Each structure stands twice: as C-alpha cells, then as structure tokens.
C-alpha cells in the first residue's frame, strides 16, 4: 500500500468564498503515482468546508444567500461562541451544512468523478492563511 | 490491496425520492471478495445524495417536508442557478444537507452496520438516468 | 494492509449532548499500530452523529439552539415518523445536518489534524446505550 500526503494553503481575501481546488487535488494524485485507492480531502480548520458540487457562479451565489439565511453572521451577539472574542460563530454552523471533507475514489490514476463533480474549498472565515489536507492511499 | 468499482444506474420517475440501495451495495461487496476494508458509495451527480438512515416511510415523508422547507423548489426564480435554464437550484442545496457520500467499514466480508443502518439514494432532480459509484478497497 | 475495528459504547444521560471522543479514537489508533492510512469513525445509530469541530462550550450551546430551530423536537406530532410510537423524529433530521461519520487521515501514527480539530459524538436521542464504530486501515 502506498500513501501520499500534502497540505494545500489558501489565503482567501474575503470572509467567505468558494474556490475550485480540483486542479490542485489532481496534481497531488499525479505526484502520488497511486492508480487505485481512495483520496481524502478535508479542511484542517473548523470554519471551512471541502465539498463537491458544480462550478457555476449562480449556484455559488445561491449557497451564499442560503447559508446566510440558515446561520446569519449578524448579530454577532446571537452566538455564545462569540463571547470568546471571536466573530465567527456562524462560520462553525455553515461549515456543518457544507461538510468538512470528501472521499473520492481513485480509478486508473484519476479522480473517479461524474460529469459535473468538482471539489471546492468553502471559506467562511477568511482573510488569513488556512490549510486543506490531501491524503491518498492505494496502489 | 484489492480494489473494486461498480456504477449503479437509477432512473427515478419522479423529481424526488429516497430509495434503499443496500442490497445493491451488498451485491457489490460479494462480487469484490473483499473481507476487510472500506466501501465508498457516492452520488456521481450533484443534485442527488447518498446517505445512511432508517428505512421507514414516515421518516422519508418528514425528510421531504423538511428539505422543502429549508430549500423550497418554488419559486424557481429565487435561485440564480436557474437563470442558466435549469429548474434544479433547490436540488443542489438539498443535496448538501443530506450529503454526497457514505464510507462504510467492511468487516468479515459484510457491511459493518448498526441495527437500523441502511444506505439510501436520495434523488432531488429525477426523471432521467443517474449514477451512483461503489468503490471498495481492502483485502 | 492492516485493519483494526473497535466499538465505543456511550450511555448519554440526557436526550442531547456533544461529547469529545478524540482520546478514545487516539487509543484505538495506538492499539492498531497503524502508521499510515485512513480512520473511519461513524455512529452506528441513526439518531446520532460523529463530527469534527471545536471543543468550546459556547459553540456547543450554539449548535444545540440552532439545530432545535432547524428541526424542533416539539410538537412531537409534526413528524410522521413519530406515529410509529417514537418521539425522535427530530433526531433523525438533526443527525443529517451534523453528519454520520468522519474519515481522518493517519500520518506517522497520529490523527492528522489541524490545530483545533476534535472528534465529537453528537447524541440526539440519548438515555440508552449506543455505539460508535472505529475502523482503521493502513500499514
């Protein structure tokens, strides 16, 4: 069994953004030389997500509006977590809806995806350097 | 390390449905001859889910009502994604709540499940052929 | 390839609670002697979650309030599932938001975590013995 590990670093200039990281994960897969196995991609921070969906800007706008409705950023005081001095209580909630991680099948040396599947980093508390972990195991 | 891959195809006649696919995944596991490992089951489409819960029709009704409240299908115009000519903006949101994938432990050649765990395909934009991927790795 | 399996049992005295189970999973990892691989941790019950987030009591309070808003426990009669004699319809919904499982990378014999990542058992229908599965594969 082979294993491969890499950290991807991002510094999103705004509080929230969805960024397509599929090319980065594909580069990891090439470096790993793994042909059959599983690839885990997870946020290493608890106010960010990794998820799979469509690379369509209208949809990303819809996610933004929807998540803000489900877990509004303001008023800051509505979240006890913000009593610690943070203002990111909402980000911890939004991240649970969108998820921490994806596991992707590796077949014939490629990400085994349906037509429209793309991997996104979902930032909910940006404006600082944060990490995503790529771990691949297989042969 | 062994690996196994199969696509399961579904053509749900309605827009939304939850279908128990556990027997299909069990058949994949038998074919794979893998006794110890991990089994990934994921929707290959971004308006569908794979999730684990109870095979109880009242609960499925509750999920339907709840998801429709969290992310209503209509009015279509509330989602920018639908400006692309689609009417499935809500399906992309519902799928995030229910999840893209499950990873199941394989122990002694069986799905290592609690008493009531069953695997479901959650369709949110049906009436066409769509795929689920089963990938198993182990020994 | 090595594989390891253990069930963790919990009997949460209240209906709902978030409990940090990271030390239990770390003990499993030590017992497994696996240095590189993947660790799956999943609830074996369909009214409980396993998720990764921050060990901060204010945040846990915020999750409790938020989940109760998204999927209220009462009135019991709002869920068809409760017609079966259960009163845990809401728990099946809350569990979908928080998730069934996490997959964690194992690197150099440790859980490959960001600074604040901790694994939680999320109980939504407690006051009885319930199980979490830890399955580790690797080398």
């Amino acid at each position: 069994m082979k294993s491969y590990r890499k950290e991807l670093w991002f510094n999103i200039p705004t509080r929230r953004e969805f960024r397509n990281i599929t090319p980065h994960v594909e580069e990891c897969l090439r470096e790993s030389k793994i042909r059959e196995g599983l690839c885990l991609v997870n946020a290493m921070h608890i106010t960010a997500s990794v998820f799979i969906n469509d690379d369509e800007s209208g949809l990303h706008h819809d996610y933004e509006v929807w998540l803000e409705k489900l877990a509004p950023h303001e008023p800051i005081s509505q979240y006890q977590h913000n009593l610690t001095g943070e203002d990111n209580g909402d980000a911890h909630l939004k991240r649970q809806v969108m998820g921490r991680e994806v596991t992707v099948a590796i077949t014939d040396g490629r990400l085994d995806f349906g037509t429209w599947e793309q991997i996104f980093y979902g930032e909910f508390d940006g404006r600082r350097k944060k990490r995503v972990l790529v771990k691949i195991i297989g042969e």
Side-chain angles (χ1 to χ4, degrees), chain A residues 8 19 24 51 81 135:
Chain A
L8 307 175
R19 186 169 292 187
H24 299 288
F51 67 96
H81 180 60
K135 183 87 181 191

Coordinates of all heavy atoms in Angstrom, one line a residue, chain A residues 8 19 24 51 81 135:
Chain A
L8 N -2.5 21.8 1.3 CA -2.7 23.0 0.3 C -3.0 24.2 1.2 O -3.9 24.1 2.1 CB -3.9 22.7 -0.6 CG -3.9 21.4 -1.4 CD1 -5.2 21.2 -2.2 CD2 -2.7 21.3 -2.3
R19 N -13.9 28.2 -3.7 CA -12.8 28.1 -4.6 C -12.7 26.7 -5.2 O -12.5 25.8 -4.4 CB -11.5 28.6 -4.0 CG -10.4 28.7 -5.0 CD -9.2 29.5 -4.4 NE -9.5 30.9 -4.2 CZ -8.6 31.8 -3.9 NH1 -7.3 31.4 -3.7 NH2 -8.9 33.1 -3.7
H24 N -5.7 21.3 -8.0 CA -4.6 21.1 -7.0 C -4.7 19.6 -6.6 O -3.6 19.0 -6.4 CB -4.9 22.0 -5.8 CG -4.8 23.4 -6.1 ND1 -3.6 24.0 -6.3 CD2 -5.7 24.4 -6.1 CE1 -3.8 25.3 -6.5 NE2 -5.1 25.6 -6.4
F51 N -16.2 20.4 -0.2 CA -17.4 19.8 -0.7 C -17.3 19.6 -2.2 O -16.4 20.2 -2.8 CB -18.6 20.5 -0.3 CG -18.8 21.9 -0.9 CD1 -19.5 22.1 -2.0 CD2 -18.1 23.0 -0.4 CE1 -19.7 23.3 -2.6 CE2 -18.3 24.3 -1.0 CZ -19.0 24.4 -2.1
H81 N -20.6 31.4 21.2 CA -19.2 31.2 20.8 C -18.4 32.6 20.7 O -17.2 32.7 20.9 CB -19.1 30.5 19.5 CG -17.7 30.2 19.0 ND1 -16.8 29.5 19.8 CD2 -17.1 30.5 17.9 CE1 -15.6 29.4 19.1 NE2 -15.8 30.1 18.0
K135 N -4.9 13.4 1.5 CA -4.3 12.1 1.8 C -4.8 11.1 0.9 O -6.0 10.9 0.7 CB -4.7 11.8 3.3 CG -4.1 10.5 3.8 CD -2.7 10.8 4.4 CE -2.0 9.5 4.9 NZ -0.8 9.8 5.7

